[in-house]
Amino acid sequence: MKDTHRHQHYALNETGHLVNVHDLKSKASVKFYCPYCGQEMISKCGNLRDWHFAHKTDAQKCSYDKYLHSLAINKIQEWYNNSENIFLRLVTKCYCCDYNKCKLRNKVCGCIRYANAEEFDLKSRFPLGQAEMEYKCDRGRFIPDILCQDIKGKSEPIFMEVYVTHKCEHKKISSGIRIIEFNIKSEDDIMSIINSQFIAKGELVTLYNFHPKNIYNGDFYMPMQKFILFPSKKYYIDNYSFTCKDFDKKRKGIYEITLPYDDCMPVFICAGGFYVVALAKAMYDKYVCKDCNLCKYHKITGFVGEHICVLYKKYGTQRLCKDNNANECGMFRLDMDLYRIAIEEFYRYSKMNYIDVWKK
């Protein structure tokens, strides 16, 4: 079988109803007509090729794309009018109540808003779809592929448009009228649409001029991680105590670096993680003098990731870095390559993401 997806599998019978060639038991003797040009068609029900309809005589006035456009209008109108319910699924934006004053809103969209799907039964307000019916309003005269009018007359209609080779006209879109555009490239696309009770924005559907109301909610937040340097010169990373709502209201140390926290998306991997980068930045700002994590003789080894000093055998330093006092260690040498990478990572991140550096 060659190019079966371009075959016309539907035709109108003598009563004007669509017939699928695969529903025929054999080559039929009744007459069939093209849904687009109206020319007579014959059924091709052989044993070698895919069953299909073909124009009996002059097919130059027609094309597969024109046929597909007419078929889609016919099938979608039939589906719409015969369905008890058809739900339009709209995605609304739910904003944090603090959105307008949030420092993170242009940096970390995920913590500020999320999608909330709302479903509206089109048939409850627009019970009937009429093919190629003219609609007049103060913005002009329009002929949509399918016109769905409000049964109560309280709102403007909804246009349904079929896009095979030409997208919806700019004039229709700029009118402000709500438009559902079906993107059709094959008969299978039509079947995918009409075999569902839902219409939602996606690969086969484009929505114009639908403006669901935004929702504001105060129940969600973004966790924050904070590097805290205490007056005692001790420091650690806190991943659990702060959120976007209070990180700048609760201060514990004399120097703090705060950024959004996602345990599934670690940051600063090339430099060894947030802890190393925060130490490098604190050293850059002259709040930290020495730390084993920034020493050229520091090494992470073993299955458990032990932090060791590679000089412990030769110079008698403590094997585990946690047992050393870097400020008193005479063997400390700053790993300049690591330090440079960490500082570069910090400023590269800060250009694209929110980061708070606070100094007492």
Side-chain angles (χ1 to χ4, degrees):
M1 293 183 294
K2 296 183 179 180
D3 204 22
T4 58
H5 70 286
R6 302 290 290 184
H7 285 156
Q8 297 183 205
H9 296 106
Y10 289 88
L12 296 173
N13 62 18
E14 293 174 316
T15 61
H17 293 90
L18 280 172
V19 176
N20 189 318
V21 70
H22 293 106
D23 293 334
L24 303 178
K25 294 182 179 180
S26 61
K27 187 173 181 179
S29 58
V30 298
K31 291 185 177 181
F32 298 98
Y33 303 93
C34 176
Y36 174 72
C37 67
Q39 296 295 313
E40 186 176 350
M41 306 191 80
I42 55 175
S43 57
K44 300 279 189 174
C45 303
N47 296 323
L48 297 178
R49 302 182 66 187
D50 181 51
W51 287 16
H52 62 283
F53 288 107
H55 287 77
K56 185 175 182 179
T57 53
D58 186 11
Q60 294 182 356
K61 297 179 180 179
C62 197
S63 70
Y64 180 79
D65 289 338
K66 292 175 180 178
Y67 152 78
L68 195 61
H69 188 270
S70 295
L71 175 67
I73 293 174
N74 197 311
K75 295 292 285 185
I76 291 173
Q77 181 191 23
E78 179 183 56
W79 161 71
Y80 187 87
N81 290 338
N82 293 337
S83 297
E84 184 177 351
N85 305 102
I86 292 180
F87 297 95
L88 176 65
R89 185 172 290 163
L90 297 175
V91 175
T92 62
K93 291 179 180 178
C94 187
Y95 291 85
C96 173
C97 291
D98 298 323
Y99 175 76
N100 292 324
K101 59 182 180 181
C102 181
K103 297 177 181 179
L104 283 70
R105 69 176 184 179
N106 294 323
K107 298 288 186 180
V108 192
C109 295
C111 74
I112 305 302
R113 59 195 180 192
Y114 61 85
N116 184 43
E118 292 189 349
E119 294 175 358
F120 172 69
D121 185 6
L122 290 173
K123 295 298 296 287
S124 65
R125 289 284 295 274
F126 307 90
L128 185 65
Q130 299 170 289
E132 299 180 340
M133 177 72 67
E134 184 180 60
Y135 174 73
K136 299 179 183 178
C137 64
D138 55 1
R139 282 149 291 173
R141 301 170 61 180
F142 305 97
I143 302 179
D145 289 332
I146 299 174
L147 175 68
C148 303
Q149 299 202 68
D150 182 0
I151 189 173
K152 298 180 180 179
K154 294 182 177 180
S155 61
E156 284 191 317
I158 288 177
F159 290 177
M160 290 186 175
E161 300 289 338
V162 174
Y163 164 35
V164 177
T165 56
H166 297 90
K167 292 183 71 66
C168 183
E169 302 171 36
H170 176 72
K171 182 180 178 181
K172 288 180 180 177
I173 298 173
S174 61
S175 71
I177 296 171
R178 292 166 294 182
I179 300 170
I180 300 171
E181 182 180 69
F182 297 103
N183 310 316
I184 306 297
K185 301 303 176 188
S186 68
E187 291 178 355
D188 289 341
D189 290 343
I190 302 173
M191 295 303 109
S192 295
I193 291 168
I194 67 175
N195 286 330
S196 172
Q197 279 188 301
F198 296 92
I199 298 173
K201 182 179 179 181
E203 184 179 353
L204 297 180
V205 177
T206 303
L207 301 177
Y208 299 102
N209 301 321
F210 287 89
H211 305 293
K213 292 182 179 180
N214 295 328
I215 300 172
Y216 289 86
N217 190 315
D219 296 335
F220 57 96
Y221 55 84
M222 167 64 75
M224 306 294 283
Q225 56 184 332
K226 187 189 288 273
F227 170 84
I228 304 173
L229 172 64
F230 295 99
S232 63
K233 298 301 181 179
K234 293 184 177 181
Y235 36 81
Y236 82 112
I237 300 288
D238 188 330
N239 292 329
Y240 305 104
S241 303
F242 301 92
T243 71
C244 58
K245 295 179 181 294
D246 62 13
F247 75 92
D248 56 349
K249 299 178 177 64
K250 296 161 55 177
R251 300 294 185 181
K252 294 182 178 182
I254 59 173
Y255 181 86
E256 299 179 1
I257 300 176
T258 312
L259 64 154
Y261 176 60
D262 184 344
D263 57 1
C264 295
M265 294 289 290
V267 293
F268 309 125
I269 297 176
C270 294
F274 177 41
Y275 187 72
V276 174
V277 169
L279 281 173
K281 175 59 176 169
M283 183 177 288
Y284 181 85
D285 290 338
K286 302 187 182 328
Y287 277 82
V288 170
C289 296
K290 299 178 182 179
D291 187 277
C292 290
N293 287 274
L294 296 174
C295 179
K296 65 185 297 185
Y297 301 121
H298 166 265
K299 185 177 181 180
I300 302 176
T301 186
F303 292 107
V304 295
E306 288 185 325
H307 293 245
I308 68 169
C309 176
V310 298
L311 300 179
Y312 77 95
K313 289 183 179 180
K314 185 175 182 179
Y315 292 101
T317 59
Q318 295 293 326
R319 179 177 180 273
L320 297 179
C321 289
K322 67 179 181 178
D323 296 326
N324 285 305
N325 187 338
N327 288 323
E328 297 178 1
C329 180
M331 305 307 299
F332 176 86
R333 298 293 185 273
L334 181 63
D335 187 336
M336 292 303 300
D337 288 337
L338 176 60
Y339 177 74
R340 175 183 53 79
I341 292 172
I343 295 300
E344 288 177 353
E345 286 253 313
F346 176 88
Y347 285 107
R348 187 182 299 113
Y349 177 91
S350 64
K351 288 180 180 179
M352 301 295 296
N353 305 275
Y354 180 81
I355 191 165
D356 175 75
V357 178
W358 178 83
K359 307 170 185 178
K360 189 171 182 179

